[in-house]
Amino acid sequence: MRRSARYASLAAAGLLALSSLTACANDAAGSASAGSGGKGTKVKIMVGGLDKVIYLPAMLTQRLGYFDAEGLDVELLSEPAGVQAETALVSGQVQGAVGFYDHTLDLQTKGKSVESVVQFSHAPGEVEIVSQKAAGDITSPKDFKGRKLGVTGLGSSTDFLTKYLAVKNGVRVDQFTPVAVGAGPTFISALQKGAIDGGMTTDPTVATILDKKAGKVLLDMRTPEGSQEALGGPYPSSSLYMQTDWVNSHKDTVQKLANAFVKTLKWMSTHSSSEIADKMPADYSQGNKVLYAAAIESTLPMFTKDGVMPADGPATVEKVLKAFNPNIKNAEVDLDKTYTTEFVEKAAD
């Protein structure tokens, strides 16, 4: 079922990279690719960080052989930030992108029709961390005033979610300083050196920070309950989104992609974090498979079991963006056109 609503535009966080609320930078910087090696229908998908747990279904689907089983030759590409995945999609370099659902709303206000076709998650998967040094002084977002807060990139989902949490708790966006520190080692280094007082990131970075005792969790949005508490409702984030024109002209291929991803989401719901970790590339664990499995375990609650958009999820995204960006009220977004459940519903049959 599709839903519709009014929505307004993200303001000018710059046209530099068609910025939008997006999942943050890749824990392993740089670019990588992985092809299924099959001889089926060729599809390129750009991921905003292949080794990030929030985007785990992309690589796991390939490792389980589900793309091949559907007769697809899927090439997974990786960029260090979801914004770049969006840009690759809009420019036609790839046919699909794995990133945050909110891209579809942002792009509609810029005259681009993009829709989520498989919704991986119903929670952001993000965690607000504070450094050990600042933990005694920052006990809630009310304490963000005057602080330097790490985000993966300006205009990323971490940037916008941080702004929302601040505004919701009485802190104006000009009363704290967002600092782009990426994810993984760069985020951890900034936290340890005092370049930031805290910041927002995902697993496996979160698990590594806690293991190093470099910081503490302030807000945990890896579960639906955490999303409800921090954002007031389910927050659809990780998804497979594609240009609507391409979807409509390649329905057979899109259906096969949906079939493969829904199989993966169901498989994830019936297997342990250790079993999932065993299926992933060895280097994703960064030399510590136990810690990597723990990171997956902490993030698993964010994933859907069927790829269906959570009820009221788009409305939560709308509310979050409206809270800190006054320009949102000057434009309209038809939420009915930002996602479809047509393919995941057929995949469940």
Side-chain angles (χ1 to χ4, degrees):
M1 301 286 291
R2 290 182 172 181
R3 297 167 55 93
S4 63
R6 296 167 66 85
Y7 184 72
S9 167
L10 280 173
L15 296 175
L16 207 52
L18 292 171
S19 73
S20 72
L21 196 73
T22 176
C24 6
N26 187 355
D27 282 281
S31 181
S33 67
S36 64
K39 295 183 179 180
T41 303
K42 181 72 174 180
V43 181
K44 290 184 179 181
I45 298 176
M46 185 66 77
V47 185
L50 264 174
D51 65 343
K52 298 191 74 169
V53 178
I54 58 172
Y55 296 142
L56 182 148
M59 178 57 74
L60 182 58
T61 301
Q62 187 176 93
R63 303 283 286 191
L64 290 171
Y66 291 160
F67 290 138
D68 288 340
E70 291 292 332
L72 298 173
D73 179 11
V74 174
E75 182 179 7
L76 296 175
L77 303 165
S78 185
E79 284 284 7
V83 168
Q84 293 164 316
E86 176 195 279
T87 303
L89 177 70
V90 173
S91 66
Q93 297 175 47
V94 297
Q95 289 75 52
V98 170
F100 267 36
Y101 154 73
D102 57 77
H103 287 284
T104 66
L105 282 68
D106 177 38
L107 287 171
Q108 191 181 118
T109 68
K110 297 172 181 174
K112 306 291 185 181
S113 184
V114 173
E115 60 187 11
S116 166
V117 296
V118 183
Q119 194 60 48
F120 296 161
S121 63
H122 47 190
E126 304 281 357
V127 177
E128 184 70 25
I129 293 279
V130 293
S131 69
Q132 290 285 34
K133 181 179 179 181
D137 298 319
I138 304 177
T139 59
S140 85
K142 294 179 181 179
D143 302 319
F144 283 176
K145 186 175 180 179
R147 297 294 181 172
K148 294 176 290 183
L149 300 176
V151 297
T152 50
L154 301 181
S156 69
S157 68
T158 51
D159 185 17
F160 287 112
L161 285 173
T162 300
K163 287 178 178 176
Y164 172 74
L165 292 173
V167 170
K168 179 186 176 185
N169 287 275
V171 180
R172 299 194 313 269
V173 296
D174 63 351
Q175 291 182 313
F176 68 93
T177 304
V179 183
V181 293
T186 55
F187 185 101
I188 296 169
S189 176
L191 196 69
Q192 292 176 317
K193 293 179 179 179
I196 56 174
D197 300 301
M200 193 175 291
T201 190
T202 61
D203 276 311
T205 304
V206 175
T208 303
I209 289 171
L210 298 179
D211 185 61
K212 291 177 177 288
K213 299 187 178 354
K216 296 183 177 180
V217 173
L218 180 67
L219 287 172
D220 191 339
M221 295 178 283
R222 292 175 291 189
T223 67
E225 294 78 15
S227 179
Q228 178 71 41
E229 182 178 353
L231 304 174
Y235 197 94
S237 55
S238 306
S239 67
L240 170 69
Y241 62 90
M242 313 178 87
Q243 296 203 61
T244 301
D245 285 347
W246 199 91
V247 171
N248 290 337
S249 60
H250 297 79
K251 287 200 170 188
D252 183 60
T253 299
V254 176
Q255 186 62 62
K256 290 177 180 179
L257 287 167
N259 293 345
F261 279 124
V262 170
K263 286 180 185 176
T264 296
L265 292 169
K266 289 180 178 178
W267 189 92
M268 289 169 61
S269 72
T270 59
H271 289 75
S272 69
S273 58
S274 294
E275 290 172 321
I276 295 172
D278 286 341
K279 291 291 184 180
M280 301 302 286
D283 61 327
Y284 282 23
S285 66
Q286 299 178 26
N288 191 332
K289 201 161 188 178
V290 173
L291 188 63
Y292 181 56
I296 292 175
E297 179 72 23
S298 297
T299 305
L300 275 178
M302 75 174 281
F303 294 108
T304 67
K305 296 179 181 179
D306 53 13
V308 176
M309 175 65 72
D312 300 325
T316 307
V317 174
E318 174 185 8
K319 180 193 70 174
V320 166
L321 296 178
K322 279 185 175 181
F324 64 82
N325 193 328
N327 293 326
I328 287 176
K329 298 177 182 179
N330 299 327
E332 296 181 7
V333 166
D334 183 355
L335 293 184
D336 182 57
K337 297 180 179 179
T338 63
Y339 72 95
T340 177
T341 60
E342 172 186 352
F343 302 97
V344 292
E345 287 172 352
K346 290 179 181 177
D349 293 340

